[in-house]
Amino acid sequence: MAIGDSTPTHGAAAAAPRLDAATTAKPEFLTTGEAAALLRLSPRTLEKQRVLGGGPRFRKFGARVLYAAADLLAWADSRAYGMTSDPGRTVRSSTR
């Protein structure tokens, strides 16, 4: 190691993986909490939508529920309106 070189070449720090674009990229699949944070919704809202319908597509791996980031963005984009009286807007009755 040269003088002034602070890069360790041995020990645990040398074995640490490098962070590059591939490891810092956004995950393709998100948990319910992560998906809710992305959409700025409550995780409970996504849970209800899984039962009642109308929510984003999801995947089940055993008991684990995951959302594809692309599906979340497509679902959000499908709910874009120009005004509240937009003819494409769906009006649903209250489920309470």
Side-chain angles (χ1 to χ4, degrees):
M1 182 184 295
I3 297 175
D5 185 0
S6 62
T7 306
T9 58
H10 63 284
R18 286 189 50 191
L19 294 178
D20 56 14
T23 58
T24 58
K26 292 180 183 177
E28 184 176 345
F29 292 101
L30 304 166
T31 64
T32 300
E34 293 167 339
L38 175 71
L39 296 170
R40 294 183 178 228
L41 296 173
S42 162
R44 184 70 181 125
T45 298
L46 290 177
E47 292 168 2
K48 284 182 182 178
Q49 289 176 336
R50 284 199 303 264
V51 174
L52 300 174
R57 293 178 52 87
F58 62 94
R59 287 147 175 86
K60 286 202 65 162
F61 300 98
R64 187 176 184 126
V65 174
L66 296 176
Y67 292 89
D71 288 342
L72 294 171
L73 297 175
W75 180 79
D77 287 342
S78 73
R79 277 145 184 75
Y81 302 101
M83 62 181 122
T84 57
S85 61
D86 192 341
R89 183 170 178 267
T90 304
V91 178
R92 293 176 36 164
S93 62
S94 177
T95 58
R96 293 183 187 185

